[in-house]
Amino acid sequence: QICNQHNAEAPNLEKAFHRMAQTEPNLDHDVSWFLLPSYWAKMVVALISFLCFANSYDGDFVFDDSEAIINNKDLKAETPLGDLWHHDFWGSKLSSNTSHKSYRPLTVLTFRINYLFAGGFYPVGFHVINIILHCTISVLMIDVFSILLGGLQFSNKGRRLNLAPKTSLLAALLFAVHPVHTECVAGIVGRADLLCALFFLLSFLGYCKAFRENKEGHNFSIFWVLVSVILGAIAMLCKEQGITILGLNAVFDALVINKLNVLELIQKLLHKDKSLENAWLLRKGLLFRITLLMSGGASILYIRWRIMGTGPPAFTEVDNPASFADSLFVRAINYNYYYSLNAWLLLCPWWLCFDWSMGCIPLIKSVSDWRIIALAALWFCLIGLICQALCSEDSHKRRILSLGLGFLIIPFLPASNLFFRVGFVIAERVIYLPSIGYCILFTYGFSLLSKQAKKKKILAVAVFGILLINIMRCALRSSQWRSEEQLFRSALSVCPLNAKVHYNVGKNLADKGNQSAAIKYYREAVRLNPKYVHAMNNLGNILKERNELQEAEELLSLAVQIQPDFAAAWMNLGIVQNSLRRFEEAEQSYWTAIKHRKKYPDCYYNLGRLYADLNRHIDALNAWRNATVLKPEHSLAWNNMIILLDNTGNLAQAEAVGREALELIPNDHSLMFSLANVLGKSQKYKESEALFLKAIKANPNAASYHGNLAVLYHRWGNLDLAKKHYEVSLKLDPMAPGTKENYNLLRRKLEQLQKKGG
């Protein structure tokens, strides 16, 4: 029987493997595909994988890159390295209730190294590393696929044999050019998936090395098994999926090393066969290896659980609506529909989207929904493959199909919603590892077709065409990831019902100053999702700036009703109420915002403006001081303090605040200008002049800077210089009334002086 072909008494695994190499069916035999030496095969895969994504190298920071990189304080040198081990992927404390609980310190560490070497947030270096990682992984895939498709066998000299060089090259090429990988490679945040995949593969290859005979003549090396566990732990510290390699190593051990026939084992268990005393699990070494893998995995998960804390991450209904459905039937049927969509993305990666949430995929709520066909088709195919993997008399076929299904399903389990709720509907990045299983199954299917086909070259041309189409699709999709505008707009045709897509397009337009177009997309986002508070807030903010205050107030009031702890919406509502001269309501809104966000410098700044309008000067100064304590570089708050103290005659205090502000923000020309005005009034003309000139150098087109410097010279008695700067100021702003009056006064004075001199 097959399950007894490999027993614990065999003194030399290497010889057994070598003998099996003579009888193992050759997967390459009927494949009409060019055969390349190992070195050249790896060069070809590296080059083609590079060509697919090369045009993303100079792309911007897009989508999640802003939060994970630009706004992540863990990348900065002033943040202690130790903090990385207590923070999540986005830089928040893991103990925080708002933490995403994604624990990927090694990925964040690579971002930090990128930042330090580049000397700032320059995306090119980040993108280049991602491309190099994908090329490296694609090259490693040749070795991985040679084992998965050809088996783990060695020569008499201990070198691993590649018994499927053609099919392993084809599978590696399919992996290298798969368009669904674009998010991982072209999106910098995809670094987590790439690093996880790299150590995932190294763990697998390390486990395979454990079965080369060592000098002591043992059947396996404990050292390499432990190395594999450590590499699996490193993979998990890059992304959570990495832990699944330990399960795959156990499956590989059972199916390939111990030649387990699962069906035969089940039959023996059902019939209580006494021969189970010598069954696969009791063989020498296997139980020990499985124990090592399970112990290592359990230890890693326990440590991860202790670091993360007992509470799961908090997701909202818009992130994963199926998981919030009351009906178990609705949850189950939609989860299975999501699986079918993931499978379709592997088969036909044409409709790709950066985000699949917020109505992109409406829930299936009854069996009459035609989309049931998709999940029925998925399970029909899966059950067929599982039956073949279990029941086929061909051990070679059983092994390849079982490994293909294992690599397809096991790495996907953390994203399946089976063990815990995930924060997405579909995420293309999580298919990076499962695509290994897809490539195995596709390549094996191609080899079977080649065996049956009479015109093998036509089949080879068809596969070459698929590779070429995928390369072009990768290049196109990579170009869409180069900028947020292209990325967001590319999603409109794929997910027109996705409110977040419309929101992001609107936000991108608003950031570029195109408010009219932004309003249209924000309105559509709110129409698609009437509870989309962020879209309401941003739309209300634009309407506020356009002085459409009534509608702005309605939107912002609705936003805070839906989400009472939405601090930004409370602040914006306060600004609108202040503009409508409903001061008490505005003050209440500001304090509500501060209650929900203790450290909110912008809200303190706006509260200070309200108090200034009400002539509550002490309260205004206190509010602005709070803003500068929370955010020392808050230029507007510093400026308003200086101006208020200046206007109320507290020149000494205004000067002290101005000097304090410039120490913290030495290159802020608006602060230089405000302090220069104070010094001029205090008759510190020389110092005031120096600050005015410095401010003008930084911002030479500010009419008020030239006008106030002219006033200083006028007071100081430098009338020619005063005349010069009055004229420059009026040239920049001819309608400035105060400057024009002062200039006319100066001209009359100069005329009088000329008459006296004459």
Side-chain angles (χ1 to χ4, degrees):
Q1 298 295 325
I2 288 180
C3 65
N4 293 321
Q5 283 178 359
H6 182 90
N7 57 58
E9 306 302 321
N12 191 330
L13 278 178
E14 183 180 305
K15 289 180 181 178
F17 285 146
H18 186 61
R19 285 197 303 273
M20 288 190 299
Q22 312 305 317
T23 59
E24 187 79 60
N26 191 337
L27 202 62
D28 281 4
H29 185 267
D30 297 296
V31 175
S32 178
W33 191 262
F34 52 86
L35 180 62
L36 291 176
S38 176
Y39 175 79
W40 281 105
K42 291 179 178 179
M43 288 289 289
V44 167
V45 170
L47 178 62
I48 290 177
S49 59
F50 174 77
L51 290 175
C52 285
F53 303 105
N55 64 347
S56 68
Y57 87 95
D58 60 346
D60 298 332
F61 292 110
V62 297
F63 195 40
D64 285 340
D65 296 344
S66 297
E67 287 302 314
I69 298 170
I70 297 174
N71 298 331
N72 191 342
K73 62 181 181 298
D74 287 342
L75 270 64
K76 307 289 182 65
E78 55 266 25
T79 302
L81 273 174
D83 285 5
L84 270 64
W85 301 92
H86 303 286
H87 292 172
D88 65 16
F89 186 53
W90 314 95
S92 301
K93 287 185 179 179
L94 282 164
S95 56
S96 169
N97 292 331
T98 59
S99 171
H100 197 272
K101 307 292 184 182
S102 46
Y103 187 58
R104 304 163 193 173
L106 295 184
T107 303
V108 178
L109 181 61
T110 66
F111 289 153
R112 181 169 173 140
I113 293 168
N114 257 131
Y115 173 81
L116 292 175
F117 272 96
F121 292 113
Y122 302 104
V124 172
F126 290 86
H127 282 294
V128 168
I129 295 297
N130 275 26
I131 295 168
I132 291 171
L133 281 171
H134 178 67
C135 293
T136 304
I137 292 163
S138 299
V139 169
L140 278 177
M141 281 297 175
I142 294 180
D143 291 327
V144 171
F145 286 129
S146 73
I147 296 169
L148 297 174
L149 295 168
L152 181 63
Q153 299 167 25
F154 299 94
S155 69
N156 288 328
K157 295 182 179 180
R159 292 192 64 181
R160 185 177 56 78
L161 299 170
N162 184 352
L163 299 179
K166 292 182 182 179
T167 45
S168 61
L169 172 59
L170 172 58
L173 285 171
L174 282 167
F175 180 88
V177 304
H178 205 298
V180 84
H181 297 161
T182 311
E183 180 176 355
C184 292
V185 185
I188 297 170
V189 167
R191 174 84 58 86
D193 300 87
L194 297 172
L195 287 170
C196 173
L198 177 64
F199 290 105
F200 181 98
L201 298 180
L202 291 175
S203 175
F204 175 74
L205 293 172
Y207 196 78
C208 293
K209 279 195 173 188
F211 300 99
R212 295 173 65 177
E213 184 188 28
N214 58 25
K215 293 178 181 179
E216 289 77 20
H218 295 159
N219 287 337
F220 66 95
S221 165
I222 296 176
F223 170 77
W224 280 108
V225 174
L226 292 174
V227 166
S228 174
V229 172
I230 292 168
L231 289 168
I234 293 172
M236 195 190 75
L237 290 174
C238 296
K239 191 173 180 181
E240 295 76 7
Q241 263 180 311
I243 192 68
T244 59
I245 188 56
L246 301 183
L248 278 167
N249 285 342
V251 170
F252 176 80
D253 197 337
L255 296 179
V256 178
I257 306 303
N258 283 271
K259 299 292 183 281
L260 168 67
N261 185 329
V262 178
L263 184 62
E264 185 177 305
L265 180 66
I266 293 170
Q267 288 172 346
K268 286 188 175 185
L269 284 168
L270 291 173
H271 293 91
K272 298 181 180 179
D273 195 326
K274 291 183 180 180
S275 65
L276 276 175
E277 291 175 6
N278 298 316
W280 65 280
L281 192 59
L282 300 177
R283 290 178 179 177
K284 182 181 176 183
L286 178 58
L287 183 59
F288 178 68
R289 293 194 296 274
I290 297 292
T291 303
L292 276 180
L293 290 171
M294 290 179 65
S295 301
S299 300
I300 294 165
L301 288 173
Y302 175 73
I303 294 168
R304 166 78 170 81
W305 177 75
R306 287 299 301 269
I307 293 171
M308 182 185 80
T310 54
F315 297 117
T316 61
E317 187 174 350
V318 294
D319 296 320
N320 186 358
S323 67
F324 285 85
D326 294 328
S327 167
L328 178 62
F329 167 78
V330 172
R331 289 201 301 273
I333 207 167
N334 280 282
Y335 289 159
N336 280 275
Y337 181 57
Y338 297 162
Y339 306 156
S340 68
L341 290 176
N342 279 284
W344 181 248
L345 288 177
L346 286 172
L347 289 168
C348 183
W350 201 254
W351 292 275
L352 300 175
C353 185
F354 71 93
D355 185 272
W356 293 82
S357 63
M358 283 207 179
C360 190
I361 304 170
L363 288 180
I364 297 174
K365 295 182 179 178
S366 72
V367 291
S368 60
D369 194 313
W370 67 268
R371 291 176 292 170
I372 293 284
I373 297 168
L375 59 100
L378 171 70
W379 280 107
F380 177 79
C381 294
L382 280 178
I383 291 168
L385 288 169
I386 291 167
C387 288
Q388 288 291 310
L390 293 177
C391 304
S392 175
E393 294 181 1
D394 183 350
S395 62
H396 184 63
K397 184 176 185 179
R398 286 201 309 271
R399 187 197 74 220
I400 292 178
L401 289 179
S402 297
L403 290 173
L405 288 168
F407 273 84
L408 182 69
I409 295 168
I410 293 175
F412 184 74
L413 289 176
S416 66
N417 286 288
L418 291 176
F419 304 108
F420 45 80
R421 177 184 289 155
V422 298
F424 52 84
V425 176
I426 292 175
E428 292 159 22
R429 58 190 175 274
V430 304
I431 314 177
Y432 194 83
L433 284 172
S435 65
I436 299 171
Y438 160 77
C439 293
I440 295 170
L441 297 174
F442 183 99
T443 305
Y444 184 60
F446 171 68
S447 70
L448 293 180
L449 282 175
S450 296
K451 191 174 184 179
Q452 302 295 326
K454 292 180 180 179
K455 296 183 178 180
K456 294 180 174 58
K457 288 186 178 178
I458 293 176
L459 194 60
V461 169
V463 172
F464 180 78
I466 290 171
L467 291 173
L468 191 61
I469 290 169
N470 279 358
I471 290 169
M472 292 189 292
R473 179 67 178 128
C474 283
L476 174 64
R477 186 63 180 153
S478 293
S479 68
Q480 291 172 342
W481 274 87
R482 284 165 54 85
S483 70
E484 286 196 331
E485 182 180 4
Q486 293 179 77
L487 179 65
F488 297 155
R489 287 191 177 278
S490 72
L492 288 172
S493 59
V494 180
C495 284
L497 299 178
N498 188 336
K500 189 183 283 188
V501 168
H502 292 274
Y503 168 82
N504 279 300
V505 173
K507 187 173 184 299
N508 185 258
L509 288 166
D511 290 343
K512 293 182 176 180
N514 191 348
Q515 291 187 338
S516 299
I519 287 172
K520 183 182 77 171
Y521 285 101
Y522 281 141
R523 288 194 191 282
E524 181 64 8
V526 174
R527 186 189 72 80
L528 290 168
N529 183 357
K531 294 184 178 181
Y532 199 172
V533 292
H534 292 282
M536 292 176 189
N537 178 60
N538 287 16
L539 177 56
N541 213 11
I542 290 179
L543 293 173
K544 173 196 73 183
E545 291 172 10
R546 293 163 70 96
N547 209 34
E548 297 177 31
L549 300 178
Q550 293 297 335
E551 188 181 358
E553 185 183 23
E554 289 172 11
L555 279 165
L556 293 165
S557 297
L558 181 58
V560 296
Q561 284 176 28
I562 296 168
Q563 186 178 327
D565 63 347
F566 192 3
W570 277 112
M571 182 189 75
N572 286 326
L573 178 60
I575 295 170
V576 171
Q577 290 165 336
N578 190 14
S579 300
L580 291 169
R581 306 190 67 76
R582 298 212 299 272
F583 301 121
E584 288 185 12
E585 292 177 44
E587 183 181 8
Q588 185 61 44
S589 294
Y590 287 142
W591 282 115
T592 306
I594 291 166
K595 181 182 78 173
H596 293 300
R597 190 191 295 181
K598 305 295 181 188
K599 298 179 180 180
Y600 204 173
D602 288 342
C603 194
Y604 276 112
Y605 165 73
N606 283 300
L607 180 63
R609 289 184 60 188
L610 168 68
Y611 288 145
D613 290 342
L614 295 173
N615 292 322
R616 293 167 59 179
H617 297 157
I618 301 298
D619 290 334
L621 289 170
N622 287 336
W624 288 328
R625 175 57 74 177
N626 283 333
T628 59
V629 168
L630 293 170
K631 186 180 178 182
E633 67 278 12
H634 204 303
S635 173
L636 290 173
W638 284 115
N639 237 323
N640 281 18
M641 276 197 282
I642 298 166
I643 292 167
L644 179 60
L645 289 166
D646 180 2
N647 291 342
T648 53
N650 297 301
L651 295 181
Q653 198 175 347
E655 182 182 339
V657 170
R659 293 187 187 281
E660 183 185 354
L662 275 177
E663 280 184 19
L664 293 166
I665 323 171
N667 297 318
D668 191 301
H669 55 81
S670 62
L671 290 175
M672 297 173 196
F673 172 71
S674 297
L675 180 56
N677 284 327
V678 172
L679 293 170
K681 290 179 182 178
S682 301
Q683 297 184 351
K684 297 179 180 180
Y685 297 133
K686 197 70 181 173
E687 201 174 351
S688 175
E689 178 194 30
L691 277 174
F692 272 128
L693 291 173
K694 199 172 178 183
I696 287 169
K697 187 178 180 182
N699 188 16
N701 295 321
S704 59
Y705 289 12
H706 290 279
N708 284 31
L709 177 58
V711 170
L712 176 75
Y713 285 136
H714 199 157
R715 287 177 182 165
W716 200 359
N718 294 334
L719 303 184
D720 291 335
L721 284 173
K723 182 174 181 290
K724 172 189 169 184
H725 283 280
Y726 276 137
E727 288 171 351
V728 173
S729 179
L730 288 169
K731 188 177 179 182
L732 291 168
D733 182 12
M735 305 307 294
T739 306
K740 203 166 186 177
E741 290 172 10
N742 288 334
Y743 179 57
N744 289 332
L745 286 172
L746 178 65
R747 285 181 62 186
R748 284 197 290 272
K749 189 171 184 178
L750 287 170
E751 287 171 3
Q752 290 171 1
L753 289 172
Q754 282 178 352
K755 287 177 182 177
K756 287 180 181 178

